[in-house]
Amino acid sequence: DLHGLLLDAVQQAGVALKLNRTLNRFTQNLEAVTVQSGDDPPVEGEVLVGADGLWSPVRQWLLGDGPPRATGHVAYRALLPQAELPEALRSSQVTAWLGPKLHVVQYPVCGGKSLNVVGIVEGRTGGDLDNWDQGTDGAGLHAALAGSCAPLQDLVRAIPAWRLWALCDRPPMQGTYQHALGRVALLGDAAHPMRPYLAQGAGMAIEDAAELGRLLAQAQDPAFDVPTLLGRYALNRWQRNARVQARAIRNGQIFHASGMVRLGRDASMKLLGERLLDLPWLYGGP
């Protein structure tokens, strides 16, 4: 649904969208950035935005800081029509199930027609790190959930097929250079991949895009040059993204806690309820 909205916006703006192209390399100087894609002629422009995800080649050419790190966490994901579930398992709410070294979240999508279920487990391998679309029967998730409550076990057993995704991330951002250098900017997971425990990976990418668009709109004014505008973009974004990355890691530790931390978490949830989840610095800002 979101991709459809974005595609409509691109087409209405008259943008030339070229799909299934592999970027081979780029070069930049003070005046322009040039990209080479496959056998196509080189393309020269004023700015290159690397919004090419966790395994971003643009990031490696720009920063050369190596691959993302494996977290040791894997996600089991399933999306199915609610009509295929027993009525007792259908839901219009967001529900999170927390347990030692794991959690499961379920929520409706597509106007409530489908249910998305994600189980994240620590300490298990998930095949190729860069392949997020591997099929599995969910046996690893079933084993991890042994002894959990009946409603959760019923939900997991009702799902016939899962996709398996080994989670990777990078440490929280350290400075503006990880967002932009010269005429090249990084956006979303290419700049700040984060663990899904705050559910903000796409949110931060959208915020990046809004800020980048706002600043690049000023590029038509000869008083502003592109590298300066990209520098402002990086300055305005990196600290917020670093904070979200760090909080996502902390949330995972809280979600998956055991022992005294787990008891403290449960007592806080019982006392404070939904107020515990409210983060005004994240949800309440402009």
Side-chain angles (χ1 to χ4, degrees):
D1 293 342
L2 177 59
H3 286 165
L5 291 171
L6 295 173
L7 178 59
D8 287 344
V10 166
Q11 292 173 333
Q12 291 175 21
V15 173
L17 181 65
K18 296 184 178 181
L19 303 178
N20 298 317
R21 298 295 200 276
T22 298
L23 187 65
N24 295 339
R25 64 180 182 275
F26 74 82
T27 58
Q28 65 168 319
N29 54 40
L30 294 178
E31 303 299 326
V33 57
T34 302
V35 299
Q36 179 68 53
S37 175
D39 296 327
D40 296 340
V43 176
E44 184 179 282
E46 292 186 81
V47 59
L48 170 63
V49 181
D52 49 344
L54 174 72
W55 302 96
S56 168
V58 174
R59 181 186 181 114
Q60 288 313 301
W61 296 327
L62 186 67
L63 302 179
D65 58 355
R69 63 184 182 183
T71 64
H73 302 191
V74 296
Y76 294 84
R77 300 177 180 270
L79 176 67
L80 70 165
Q82 299 230 43
E84 295 182 5
L85 287 170
E87 188 169 352
L89 298 178
R90 300 170 192 173
S91 177
S92 60
Q93 297 180 324
V94 178
T95 302
W97 313 78
L98 310 182
K101 295 189 176 182
L102 63 87
H103 81 284
V104 179
V105 62
Q106 64 179 70
Y107 51 90
V109 295
C110 298
K113 295 179 181 178
S114 297
L115 189 70
N116 197 46
V117 182
V118 183
I120 298 182
V121 181
E122 292 186 30
R124 296 178 182 271
T125 58
D128 295 336
L129 291 178
D130 59 350
N131 185 357
W132 57 268
D133 195 24
Q134 304 168 79
T136 181
D137 59 5
L141 180 60
H142 293 184
L145 292 175
S148 62
C149 62
L152 177 56
Q153 298 240 27
D154 290 344
L155 174 65
V156 171
R157 281 196 294 263
I159 298 172
W162 297 81
R163 314 307 294 176
L164 186 64
W165 190 345
L167 299 179
C168 298
D169 71 349
R170 291 184 182 275
M173 298 186 79
Q174 298 296 307
T176 58
Y177 71 96
Q178 292 176 312
H179 248 318
L181 286 175
R183 291 180 172 271
V184 180
L186 299 176
L187 184 154
D189 280 357
H192 45 73
M194 55 188 66
R195 302 186 188 187
Y197 304 126
L198 198 53
Q200 286 297 303
M204 291 304 101
I206 291 170
E207 286 190 9
D208 285 352
E211 180 66 7
L212 185 60
R214 184 184 72 82
L215 287 167
L216 287 181
Q218 302 176 29
Q220 298 180 18
D221 186 336
F224 298 100
D225 63 89
V226 167
T228 297
L229 293 171
L230 294 186
R232 289 184 181 178
Y233 156 74
L235 185 64
N236 292 346
R237 290 298 305 160
W238 84 268
Q239 288 176 310
R240 179 169 170 86
N241 285 321
R243 187 178 184 186
V244 176
Q245 285 177 293
R247 183 56 185 257
I249 293 172
R250 177 172 175 262
N251 263 25
Q253 295 167 344
I254 294 172
F255 285 4
H256 295 183
S258 58
M260 294 302 295
V261 176
R262 177 188 180 190
L263 293 175
R265 176 201 68 199
D266 293 352
S268 299
M269 292 176 66
K270 185 175 182 180
L271 179 65
L272 298 175
E274 63 184 25
R275 286 178 293 168
L276 193 66
L277 301 178
D278 188 24
L279 301 173
W281 62 269
L282 178 60
Y283 303 128

